[in-house]
Amino acid sequence: MHPVNQPSLETDSLSRRQIVLLVTALVFSVMSFSLNATMISPAVRDINETLGPGAFVAMSAPFYLAGALANVVLIRWSDYIGRKRVLMGILVICVLGTILCLSSSLPIVVVGRFLQGASNITYGLGFMILRARVSGATFGVCCGLMASINGGIAGGDAFLAGIMTDVWGYRSIFVFITVVGLIAVAFAWKWVPSDGLDEPGARSEGRMDWIGAVFIASSVGGLSMFMSEGGHGGWTSTPTLVWLAVTGATFVALIISTNRIEHPIIGLKHMRSREAWPLIVVTILIVGSFMVIQAYVIPFMAEDPDSGFGLNATTTALLFLTPAAVVQVFASPFVGRLAVRIGFVTVLRAGIVATIVVIALMAVFADNKWAIVALMVVYGITCGAVIHTPLMSLGVLQASDEEPGTLPGLSNASYGVGFSLGFAWAGPIVGSGTDSTFQQAFWTCATIGVIALVFSYVLRPKPLARERVSPGGSTAPQPTH
């Protein structure tokens, strides 16, 4: 199996114009997923009124589950058939799924959301394409730019979605996203370099381990469902225990299968190293704590008329969510460039420490609206930029040279598991409705963050390569002189 090089600290294999066009194509690719995640939030009421009570929840769970499953299977598959092929295929599937979401039938919409959710892999594929194409300095800036899109387009997408829902209904959002998806398909086809068949390191040897893929997808899906069921139905309920059994059985089957196959979907030797497994643990803990604050705790706190501030949705977005998204967009590219200089893991650790302090201050000033508003701006920098940029990049940077698609897939899938964990603990606490509800939520989050910090010091950084960018893992031609 040919090695795949780390991003170089020296030179790029593409011209500046080619890099701009490539990043543009990748940004539109990740937008095809992120808009599907962020723009439907203001349309919750319209969706439930149109498709029936509980429709929003019914169509959301398959969306995130599909992302977890696709990450652990399709990114690894791209090691064998090429990044661009998988990227183009998933973008087309996303467009088809979005079109299905225009249906008035909830089951069809659920299928559409599942297909949309698989486009979560555009992030992992995008980072891997960049890794093989651009130098360390440029790689850091591009990673920051792509990571900033994950939370939406500086908050403007949510406001646009609200206006579109009020004027034309929620289906107009999916029409808009369909247009963005078609643009992404065109840009990716035109500007993402083609996969080369005869370049060293362009493809992994052997065949895709589809048996292992079934087992690992079942394990990840089972773990996500275990977290979800445990948080809602109780940790000893029958469905929860069934999903725990499924997770355990398929994980054991995965290990057995891996030891019997020459080219397994997961190389256990690398996954046992400190360069790999701590990243998965850190990702789950960070997403299950810090990121749940912005996704759930703060919006609930802002709109809760009893224990919170009793604001409407528009004011909540204006005061608490949009400022954090704006500073994230502007800070992330600088954080990425800094990470190349001092280390992505070092920046990640600094972000965790800073965010723990921010969350602790939120707990202290939980009854002060304007203090929380100010702290959310700082949170947009410490968590949105300083944590999120290296966290989304490390799956690629820490990956095994022999199996470059494995760790990115697992680390991206850990986001879904982390959110399941976060909602499992946050739901009961935030929903309790006591005077200390939000203080307890903030302190719980800070505690989980401390555990994440400990595991971040277990994580051993994999140094960036210092040779010129080569086509390993991609199709970049060697520059001529």
Side-chain angles (χ1 to χ4, degrees):
M1 200 172 294
H2 301 292
V4 179
N5 292 341
Q6 293 279 2
S8 165
L9 295 178
E10 304 297 334
T11 60
D12 302 320
S13 66
L14 301 177
S15 68
R16 179 174 298 180
R17 178 178 180 275
Q18 289 175 315
I19 292 174
V20 170
L21 295 177
L22 171 61
V23 172
T24 300
L26 295 178
V27 165
F28 270 86
S29 296
V30 299
M31 280 173 57
S32 67
F33 168 78
S34 65
L35 294 181
N36 279 308
T38 59
M39 289 192 73
I40 68 168
S41 295
V44 174
R45 181 186 302 175
D46 190 41
I47 289 173
N48 288 335
E49 289 178 352
T50 304
L51 297 177
F56 182 82
V57 174
M59 60 190 279
S60 296
F63 179 78
Y64 292 104
L65 178 61
L69 300 180
N71 270 299
V72 296
V73 175
L74 297 184
I75 291 184
R76 180 69 170 111
W77 194 29
S78 74
D79 286 345
Y80 295 92
I81 69 171
R83 314 292 181 213
K84 183 173 182 177
R85 286 187 179 184
V86 176
L87 178 64
M88 291 296 300
I90 207 64
L91 289 176
V92 171
I93 289 174
C94 182
V95 171
L96 294 176
T98 307
I99 293 174
L100 291 180
C101 289
L102 298 173
S103 172
S104 58
S105 169
L106 180 58
I108 294 178
V109 174
V110 168
V111 173
R113 288 293 284 171
F114 186 86
L115 296 179
Q116 286 179 329
S119 63
N120 186 303
I121 69 169
T122 53
Y123 281 97
L125 291 173
F127 287 128
M128 296 185 78
I129 291 170
L130 286 174
R131 172 198 187 192
R133 294 286 179 175
V134 299
S135 70
T138 311
F139 177 80
V141 174
C142 294
C143 283
L145 179 61
M146 288 180 59
S148 69
I149 301 297
N150 187 59
I153 308 173
D157 49 339
F159 285 109
L160 176 62
I163 295 173
M164 294 173 68
T165 301
D166 291 337
V167 177
W168 298 295
Y170 80 88
R171 289 189 180 90
S172 63
I173 296 174
F174 290 122
V175 172
F176 175 77
I177 296 175
T178 299
V179 174
V180 173
L182 291 172
I183 294 174
V185 170
F187 284 2
W189 175 76
K190 182 69 175 178
W191 294 331
V192 174
S194 299
D195 299 301
L197 297 175
D198 56 351
E199 295 168 355
R203 306 285 175 84
S204 292
E205 295 177 353
R207 295 181 178 181
M208 175 70 175
D209 175 19
W210 288 108
I211 295 177
V214 171
F215 289 144
I216 191 172
S218 300
S219 297
V220 172
L223 182 57
S224 297
M225 294 304 297
F226 166 72
M227 295 287 187
S228 179
E229 287 290 342
H232 293 91
W235 297 103
T236 59
S237 66
T238 300
T240 301
L241 296 178
V242 168
W243 283 116
L244 179 61
V246 169
T247 303
T250 52
F251 183 72
V252 171
L254 173 65
I255 294 177
I256 295 174
S257 171
T258 296
N259 290 328
R260 296 181 177 181
I261 296 178
E262 183 178 1
H263 301 289
I265 191 168
I266 292 181
L268 294 181
K269 179 181 178 180
H270 177 66
M271 292 308 300
R272 285 195 296 261
S273 77
R274 287 178 52 200
E275 293 179 355
W277 71 264
L279 176 62
I280 297 174
V281 175
V282 170
T283 301
I284 292 174
L285 293 175
I286 286 177
V287 175
S289 56
F290 298 153
M291 295 186 186
V292 172
I293 290 296
Q294 184 176 17
Y296 181 62
V297 177
I298 288 295
F300 196 105
M301 179 183 187
E303 298 179 13
D304 184 14
D306 299 320
S307 304
F309 304 130
L311 305 176
N312 59 34
T314 301
T315 305
T316 296
L318 278 172
L319 292 181
F320 296 99
L321 304 181
T322 299
V326 170
V327 297
Q328 177 184 354
V329 168
F330 286 102
S332 292
F334 295 100
V335 172
R337 190 170 184 85
L338 176 66
V340 171
R341 293 180 178 275
I342 68 174
F344 282 78
V345 175
T346 300
V347 172
L348 175 65
R349 292 167 181 164
I352 294 174
V353 172
T355 305
I356 290 173
V357 173
V358 171
I359 301 300
L361 290 174
M362 287 183 179
V364 173
F365 297 102
D367 59 346
N368 187 319
K369 179 176 68 176
W370 296 109
I372 300 297
V373 169
L375 287 169
M376 279 302 294
V377 176
V378 183
Y379 169 95
I381 299 174
T382 63
C383 184
V386 182
I387 287 180
H388 209 58
T389 299
L391 192 65
M392 295 193 72
S393 309
L394 280 170
V396 172
L397 298 177
Q398 297 285 115
S400 163
D401 292 341
E402 292 78 21
E403 299 164 353
T406 298
L407 187 59
L410 288 173
S411 61
N412 287 350
S414 299
Y415 276 75
V417 177
F419 273 117
S420 297
L421 170 65
F423 285 113
W425 71 258
I429 293 177
V430 172
S432 63
T434 65
D435 292 339
S436 61
T437 287
F438 299 108
Q439 288 92 336
Q440 184 181 354
F442 289 133
W443 286 123
T444 302
C445 173
T447 301
I448 299 175
V450 171
I451 299 174
L453 178 64
V454 172
F455 278 99
S456 75
Y457 279 92
V458 178
L459 177 63
R460 181 175 62 218
K462 184 179 181 181
L464 298 176
R466 292 188 173 272
E467 67 274 11
R468 180 180 298 275
V469 171
S470 83
S474 75
T475 61
Q478 291 283 11
T480 56
H481 300 281

